[in-house]
Amino acid sequence: MLKDMLRQNASLTHCWRKASDVMPIRIGRNWRHMRRYRQILSVLIKYGFGDVVDITRKDLIGRFGDKIIPLFGKHVDSSMSRAERLRYAAEELGPTFVKLAQVLSMRPDLIPPDVATELQKLQDEVSPFSYEEVRNIIKEELKQELETAFSHIDEQPLAAASIAQVHRATLHDGRQVVIKIQRPDIEDVINVDLEILSDLARVLVRYSLNSVVSDPIAVVEEFNRSIHRELDFLSEGRNIHRFGQMFTDDPTVLIPSFYPELSSSRVLVMDFVDGIKASDLEELERKGLDRTVIAERGAQLILNQVFKHGFFHADPHPGNIMVLNDNVIAPLDFGMVGNLDEPTIEALGSVLAGIIHKDTNRVLRAFDALDITHDIVNRIALRSDINGFVSQYYEVPLQELQISDILKEAFEIFRAHQMTLPANLSLMLKALITVEGLGRLLHPDFDMVSEVRPYISRLMYRRYDPRRRFRDLLNVFDDFSNLVEELPQGLRDTLRRINAGELRIQFEHRNLEKLIKEFNQSSNRISSAVIIAALIIGSSLVMQVPSGPNFFGFPLLGILGYLVASVLGLILLWNIFRSKR
């Protein structure tokens, strides 16, 4: 499945890079991870991903020997789709692979829709670790006894996931809080898996350049940054504080308070939110809450984050949205967030405005501004696809449009033309789809497009605001002034280097490692064949001239020559046979 995904997706970095330049191979460490390597490969074979194992086979056997590849494994029901088997494999492989699958499920520009949908079903629920370990971690991280920091902690966790578990607690002043405690040694487990993933990504690049479109090394690098941000609970605390400042004057939104004095990189303390999950429709009805208002406020929550602040909750699924009295919205779990700068927000607004006003050129210019079309080979085909896409939704009543349908078709165009969105923009679009789904769950006639349209209008107004245009003009003038000042000196330096013969042009060859390796193998085989032929000819000549010691009437030197030639020939044949596997 991984191979199929990589074949269909666009590059995250728009170019192939040398594996050795990005992530140096740590052979020593990898040897210590042999057991985990075998476990991963066994699970892949079990769930029918032998193609991935075959790709890595030659490289891993060359470094670790035949024992690295399992000879056989238990296979699951073949009636399951590859997407389903991928989900089960991720769950069995543990927290790193579960988190990687969850991140990929939020990148519909990278993976096919059926795979993204299946990976969204991943359950990140595991058995809790002991209360004694909870006490030890809190003491180690906060440098104080548990009873000193809290008057009470529930021994049974509210929830237990692969990275952390949550306990309800009470402060000495009576405030109700929750404590998020990181699992013991989870960072070491994740780091080992990341090293193995990095190694496997390099192998995929080395042996699959003709079939892999995306850059698996870049995928692992991006995931590495993402998972380590999630492991830093102080970073999540800062996110909570920032969201609190953003909505401090909004009575329709409650952001729980973060307690930095009781938190660390492995322990997070925040207010306990006593509410109802937004997906619990029966309980919302029983409490007399207005589902239509909740749907609208949920949409406004994410739209304000995106278009007003450029900082948004990247995983607003129903389990992370609580509803309080008076239809107040309270988001939870701030570990995964996204940032959008002003040019990206404007380009996004231009895309949406181009769709609404049937302006293909505006959409293309916005794509250029987002830097996702510079590798496009056939811009005519891209323009045609975008024009058909825009025409399909032009003059369709707003109440009949769904953001999820629009973006689903847009992602199909991205994959068809090997275009990859910036990670934060893709996360934002996925967040819009999630919020729209929640809105329609709460209120079937919910219209997300109508909620978005005022923000697009404000974006367009802000873009053409005379004060802003004047400020932009001043920035352009300042850049031009700097260029005028620097240009003469730059020209003088270039001419001086030309006159001194110091100007050099350097060419960098990329992705030729496999070709060079094959040339080396071919030349070595030719040399070996020549040596073997020389030994056979020389031995035959010696056999014709009976001199020196004999063995059963034959010259011993000739017999030895034949034996050496036979051994070398067998070795050569074996190497050729192995290279064909």
Side-chain angles (χ1 to χ4, degrees), residues 477-517:
F477 179 75
D478 185 55
D479 290 340
F480 183 74
S481 298
N482 292 333
L483 177 63
V484 170
E485 291 177 2
E486 297 170 1
L487 188 60
Q489 182 62 40
L491 286 174
R492 280 196 295 269
D493 289 343
T494 302
L495 291 174
R496 180 187 60 78
R497 295 180 65 186
I498 292 174
N499 290 331
E502 298 175 353
L503 189 65
R504 298 178 181 178
I505 299 176
Q506 182 176 352
F507 293 95
E508 180 181 356
H509 297 285
R510 296 185 177 185
N511 303 326
L512 295 180
E513 293 85 354
K514 185 177 180 181
L515 181 62
I516 293 172
K517 183 178 179 180

Side-chain angles (χ1 to χ4, degrees), residues 19 23-27 30-31 33 37 56 59-60 63-64 192-206 217 220:
M23 295 181 183
I25 295 176
R26 301 179 178 92
I27 295 295
N30 288 338
W31 269 106
H33 305 334
Y37 260 107
T56 62
D59 185 274
L60 295 179
R63 286 190 281 140
F64 302 118
V192 167
D193 283 346
L194 283 170
E195 288 179 6
I196 294 175
L197 281 171
S198 299
D199 191 36
L200 293 177
R202 287 191 297 271
V203 175
L204 285 172
V205 170
R206 189 176 302 127
I217 293 176
V220 175

Side-chain angles (χ1 to χ4, degrees), residues 427-438:
L427 290 177
M428 186 277 294
L429 296 177
K430 185 63 173 63
L432 290 183
I433 294 174
T434 303
V435 168
E436 183 186 49
L438 174 60

Side-chain angles (χ1 to χ4, degrees), residues 342-399:
E342 196 164 321
T344 301
I345 295 174
E346 286 189 356
L348 175 64
S350 295
V351 172
L352 296 176
I355 293 172
I356 291 175
H357 298 294
K358 196 181 179 182
D359 189 344
T360 303
N361 288 328
R362 176 180 285 188
V363 175
L364 278 172
R365 287 196 299 270
F367 284 170
D368 290 338
L370 291 170
D371 196 30
I372 62 175
T373 56
H374 70 281
D375 284 336
I376 299 300
V377 176
N378 193 341
R379 289 185 67 91
I380 295 177
L382 175 62
R383 175 185 291 275
S384 176
D385 287 345
I386 292 176
N387 186 61
F389 168 73
V390 170
S391 299
Q392 181 178 352
Y393 292 102
Y394 184 61
E395 293 183 348
V396 175
L398 291 180
Q399 62 272 19

